Amino acid sequence: MELKKRFWNEYQKEIADDHYFYARSCIRQSFNPGAEAMFLNIMKDNLHKDIIDEANQHTCTGIGYHTDIVPFYTTATIMARLFSLMTEAGYKNYVPSCVTSFGLYVEVLETWKHDPETLEKTREYLYKACKREFELPENIAHSSDIIYKFRNELKKQMKYQLINKHTGQPLRGVEHVGCHYAKVFPAFGEGGAEFPYVLAGLIESWGGEVIDYPERRHCCGFGFRNYLVLTNRSYSVSNTYKKLESMEPYQPDFILTNCPGCNMFLDRWQYTIAETQHKTYDAEGKGIPVLSHEELAALLLGYDPWKIGLQMHQVQCESLMDKIGIAYNPDEKYADINGNQLTPPDKPDFLKI
Amino acid sequence: MNHFDVIIIGGGPAGMQAAIRLGNFNYKTLIIEKEKSIGGKLTQWDKLFPDFYSAEELLQNLTRQLNENVSILTEQEVKDIENTSENEWTVKTADGQYSSKALLIASGYDFFNAKRKEEFGYGIYPNVITSVELEAMIKNGKITTLDGRIPQKIAYLQCVGSRDEKVGNHYCSINCCICAVKQSIEVKELLPDVEQYCFYMDLRMAGQHYEELYRTSQEKYHVQFIRGRISEAASTFDNRIQIKAENTLLSTPLKLTVDLFVLMVGMEASETTRFISQKFNISNEYGFLQSKQRYCSDNETEIKGLFLAGTCKRPMTIPKSLKDGDAAANAIFDYLKNR
Amino acid sequence: MKDFGYSISKGRTLNYDNSDFSLKKTLEHDVVSYCRCIGCGACASTCSAAKFTDFSIFKCNMLFRNAKYDELEQELSKCMLCGKCTLVCPRGVNTRGMILEMRNLIEKNKNNNE
């Protein structure tokens, strides 16, 4: 008796084939800069796609917008400037790295579509501010959509699979899709809002097993102003705690995210929970490694884990790499680009590294 | 011989009752039914609310009353309908073509497709079932989870596909509130130790003896009625279903894990009903058929010789559908007599 | 353990899975009419005590039903047992009997736990 049928898989969204304009994420490039570098490497070297990483790009204002600091027209105008960079570079397919950005781009594009006056006003503001003009993107897809689209091509090039080399069993992954990926506009998500397939598809294609746990659809705990204000952080960490408690019985080997915010909070709050509650969610007291879609793809493709920047995570990924059988050199973990040893970070009191 | 006085499309309770009357009026009548046998949704039901009258017995009663004037075609789906001349209707099925002086539509409803409410996980978690599937279990006298366990806790959710703007159905399906009451009583009789929770937005006990049955379900069967709409269902580690709702009387969110989660699916216009409503441009806002006038000519349409009965117009209970079949037969009698 | 100036909140969700509803079941057995309550609030509306204090028989009932006994003992003591509520209940619940039995059950429960 099959107790669980396949995830929802009926919605298919359109994703462009080639010629992408890449928009970076504030959080991802600050905290996991290797992830974005890997995405570009994968696109260029593994998939041989044309993708541009424009040097003059800037924030989309998402964090400011969602904390009620930046008003709508400011956001729309700043986004319009990003679109003008895309137009100038001769691209039409927009690929944001950040899920918050992605949701906000869709929100702004939909507002323009349903209320064309706001588009005209934005054009006017942008021109007044910096004499720039822009065209709307023909296709907008999150970077996880791109990886999802080419998941089988990537699989052919992968050196490793999501299989525990000691047991031969599939590794068990929790996937956490950022709320703004599809909960705001379900039709823009691969698989809809309730059972999005974008990350589950990666895990399944690459040999792993997806865990469905009761709080699967719950927020990661970021919540913008709930994190940014110290006194509100209790709310943020409590949500993450709720998720981790709910996934604990399934003993996940890793967590896969597509949103830089989710990645950060599911990772960092494990440290906070370990230090304040003396609670960890794996057998060894090290926590559950949290990877993004680019990081997981790069890892399985055989990129050097330290070049991917896995040492930048709070929960260390060696346990996962050992399970998969990925070779790594511990001596290079904290070496700089010239091979000089940097001072390793302080060790947590409770969380093992 | 393919010519009749009246053709009835749909052999459910409304169509059967109309056929009984029309046969008694000595009209040559043809029922065209798409399923293997007549009876409509009655064939899927065990007992009827609020008096636990046997659906099978009702069906036998109705069948017994059909006289020799009534012919029945089963497993025939209507392909097309034409108003060939003022006084003649032609109905085409895959196998043949039939004509009549008057046409009665009794093409009924379909159950709401619960998969459309993604958040309840129907079609994904096997222990999320519909009220139709629960009725089948009751009929078999065996209530189990899909992996064969005896359920300890069952939750019912009202208004799945009804009163829900998100699926485009603003209307109430009328039957589901009292149906959950009926089913929960039957389940408790089969499983005396089961705990049952019924989640609702409003409970609408608007028929004779409905309210009394509701009281009985509370007092004798200890069904817990909780005012609050379930927002999502998810599978737990042991393949049970965790549900979340608000206990609105306490203004507090609640969570509860159950073995079976029953969705009380509402009624939508059936495929044939939708086809006819579009074909003759007499669709209401939900694809049901629109009668000429709600009060005095609820069986007539704006089109001469085209009549309606039962749930092809709107959600109805079975007694109401039967009465509507009667009323349609009378309207057709007047029409054919004065033609 | 470290203190970062914020902590994990327990959350306010009622967890029916690990709540003990045995007192409610006893009440349903002892005051059968209690089962019929539909939460209409007529009892609270007619309550003399509720007019000038924050006593609510409706709230008492809801707290009891959901096995939240912490504030209940204090709340229940505010009832004067006048029985006006019994006169208006459309479902014929013996509301005064309900209050008395709730008091007994909570008292017993407290003694058992001590």
Side-chain angles (χ1 to χ4, degrees), chain A residues 39 43 97 157-158 191 217 305 313 340:
Chain A
F39 181 71
M43 294 304 285
S97 161
Q157 301 179 34
M158 279 177 178
R217 287 167 269 177
H313 288 252
N340 303 319

Side-chain angles (χ1 to χ4, degrees), chain B residues 23-85:
Chain B
N24 290 348
F25 294 149
N26 279 324
Y27 287 130
K28 280 183 53 61
T29 303
L30 173 71
I31 298 176
I32 302 179
E33 168 60 49
K34 69 175 189 310
E35 300 297 335
K36 277 190 181 133
S37 62
I38 53 169
K41 301 288 189 290
L42 265 185
T43 57
Q44 294 179 38
W45 239 248
D46 182 32
K47 283 175 186 151
L48 307 179
F49 57 77
D51 53 2
F52 300 94
Y53 186 69
S54 156
E56 202 178 317
E57 199 175 321
L58 173 60
L59 190 53
Q60 282 167 5
N61 275 344
L62 291 172
T63 311
R64 208 178 301 126
Q65 291 178 67
L66 291 167
N67 71 13
E68 68 287 352
N69 291 322
V70 181
S71 316
I72 298 165
L73 273 177
T74 53
E75 289 183 273
Q76 294 281 310
E77 210 152 328
V78 170
K79 295 278 174 224
D80 202 9
I81 300 170
E82 267 178 81
N83 194 357
T84 30
S85 70

Side-chain angles (χ1 to χ4, degrees), chain A residues 77 80-81 120-134:
Chain A
T77 310
R81 187 180 184 276
E120 290 319 306
K121 265 194 186 169
T122 310
R123 287 190 193 282
E124 190 189 319
Y125 293 152
L126 183 68
Y127 194 78
K128 277 185 185 161
C130 52
K131 301 264 179 303
R132 283 181 162 271
E133 288 173 302
F134 68 101

Side-chain angles (χ1 to χ4, degrees), chain A residues 76-134:
Chain A
T77 310
I78 287 172
M79 285 191 163
R81 187 180 184 276
L82 284 162
F83 290 147
S84 79
L85 292 175
M86 175 191 73
T87 307
E88 216 172 80
Y91 286 80
K92 286 168 179 169
N93 303 321
Y94 203 82
V95 180
S97 161
C98 173
V99 163
T100 303
S101 300
F102 174 74
L104 195 49
Y105 284 118
V106 174
E107 184 179 330
V108 169
L109 287 168
E110 286 290 288
T111 308
W112 286 344
K113 184 172 144 195
H114 292 282
D115 191 358
E117 219 175 90
T118 57
L119 174 59
E120 290 319 306
K121 265 194 186 169
T122 310
R123 287 190 193 282
E124 190 189 319
Y125 293 152
L126 183 68
Y127 194 78
K128 277 185 185 161
C130 52
K131 301 264 179 303
R132 283 181 162 271
E133 288 173 302
F134 68 101

Side-chain angles (χ1 to χ4, degrees), chain A residues 154-218:
Chain A
L154 289 172
K155 188 189 173 166
K156 286 179 205 150
Q157 301 179 34
M158 279 177 178
K159 284 171 75 176
Y160 308 102
Q161 282 196 69
L162 287 172
I163 305 249
N164 187 326
K165 73 162 188 181
H166 305 293
T167 63
Q169 296 294 313
L171 289 173
R172 297 158 62 75
V174 156
E175 44 81 90
H176 178 79
V177 177
C179 291
H180 292 211
Y181 171 74
K183 281 184 195 155
V184 193
F185 294 96
F188 284 81
E190 192 67 54
E194 298 288 342
F195 295 93
Y197 194 59
V198 62
L199 295 180
L202 301 187
I203 296 177
E204 284 182 359
S205 305
W206 297 344
E209 187 187 315
V210 181
I211 288 171
D212 185 20
Y213 61 108
E215 300 298 345
R216 179 170 181 248
R217 287 167 269 177
H218 195 78

